[in-house]
Amino acid sequence: MDAQLPDVEAGKRFYGELFGWTFEDWFGSFAQALKDGEPVAALVRKVDGRLPTVWTVYFATPDAPALARRVRDAGGQIVSAPVPAGELGVTALVTDPEGAVFALWQPEEHPGFGKRHEPGTFAWAELYARDTEAANAFYGDLFQEALFGPDAKPDFGRAPVSDVFSERMPPHFLVHFAVADVAAALEDVKRLGGRVQAPPFETSYGEAAVVTDNQGASFALLRR
């Protein structure tokens, strides 16, 4: 996952203090975020101020061009066709039929998360959709083995947009970071210049709260 931010240095200060991340320069304008020396995320400078300030979740695939074609054939769109990210892998940006944006990652030198499911690392991705049955069909076909296979341990769920947000909110993915104490993490977010979008609420996968960072990128805090 990565965050598209106007000011990467400000993002380093915010997430570094909130989650204990350190950073190293990476491919292009990316700054790789590390937790205890292991990769957990990336921050990247927006090249166009008209683009949203957002967190984007990447789904691993052995063949990004083939999966992008399947997305398109199933009613989604290819926003950015598959391109190499140096020697790290191949990436593409796509949407589902309702317009929720996600990315594809065909790993080469960079396999993905070095840590997850620990405080300060990725814990869950929730799709907030308008038509949950259509989402079930679309993602169930794309990621059948990962979601429903015999060894499946999904980090991905879906819910109606109206469960948490205004019905006018467009469908989107919300990245969740693990924390030991949601209330304490909310105080840290506010102290660092972020704000609370949705106060703590219970989900089937734990206690969550939705916040934005000090540049407007939304994410969730999760205690499982």
Side-chain angles (χ1 to χ4, degrees):
M1 59 188 174
D2 64 35
Q4 301 269 338
L5 302 174
D7 187 337
V8 169
E9 292 304 314
K12 289 179 180 179
R13 292 190 293 270
F14 180 91
Y15 291 102
E17 187 163 348
L18 181 63
F19 293 135
W21 292 353
T22 58
F23 297 89
E24 60 182 22
D25 291 334
W26 205 27
F27 174 77
S29 60
F30 282 74
Q32 182 170 226
L34 307 172
K35 180 74 172 179
D36 302 326
E38 296 291 338
V40 293
L43 308 181
V44 61
R45 182 178 59 83
K46 289 199 301 184
V47 295
D48 186 337
R50 294 170 296 181
L51 296 173
T53 300
V54 293
W55 277 97
T56 300
V57 61
Y58 287 68
F59 289 89
T61 172
D63 190 335
L67 187 55
R69 289 192 294 271
R70 289 179 59 204
V71 166
R72 182 193 58 206
D73 293 347
Q77 295 185 8
I78 300 174
V79 178
S80 177
V83 294
E87 301 300 319
L88 300 173
V90 177
T91 183
L93 193 67
V94 298
T95 78
D96 68 15
E98 289 196 325
V101 176
F102 61 101
L104 311 178
W105 183 254
Q106 179 183 321
E108 292 177 5
E109 291 185 0
H110 181 64
F113 295 127
K115 279 180 178 284
R116 58 179 175 167
H117 302 158
E118 299 177 15
T121 71
F122 172 85
W124 189 261
E126 187 78 350
L127 169 69
Y128 284 97
R130 289 212 172 94
D131 185 337
T132 54
E133 292 306 313
N136 290 349
F138 178 81
Y139 292 98
D141 180 61
L142 284 186
F143 305 124
Q144 175 72 30
E145 189 69 16
L147 290 172
F148 306 113
D151 300 319
K153 296 180 180 178
D155 290 330
F156 163 36
R158 62 101 185 102
V161 169
S162 57
D163 275 8
V164 177
F165 304 99
S166 163
E167 291 185 357
R168 296 188 298 275
M169 176 75 78
H172 64 284
F173 278 94
L174 185 66
V175 170
H176 292 54
F177 294 97
V179 295
D181 185 323
V182 173
L186 286 176
E187 291 304 311
D188 288 337
V189 166
K190 291 185 285 187
R191 175 176 56 80
L192 293 167
R195 63 184 182 86
V196 178
Q197 277 189 289
F201 57 96
E202 292 297 327
T203 74
S204 61
Y205 50 88
E207 179 191 14
V210 184
V211 300
T212 64
D213 67 17
N214 58 343
Q215 299 183 67
S218 296
F219 60 97
L221 306 168
L222 178 66
R223 183 182 63 82
R224 303 192 77 174

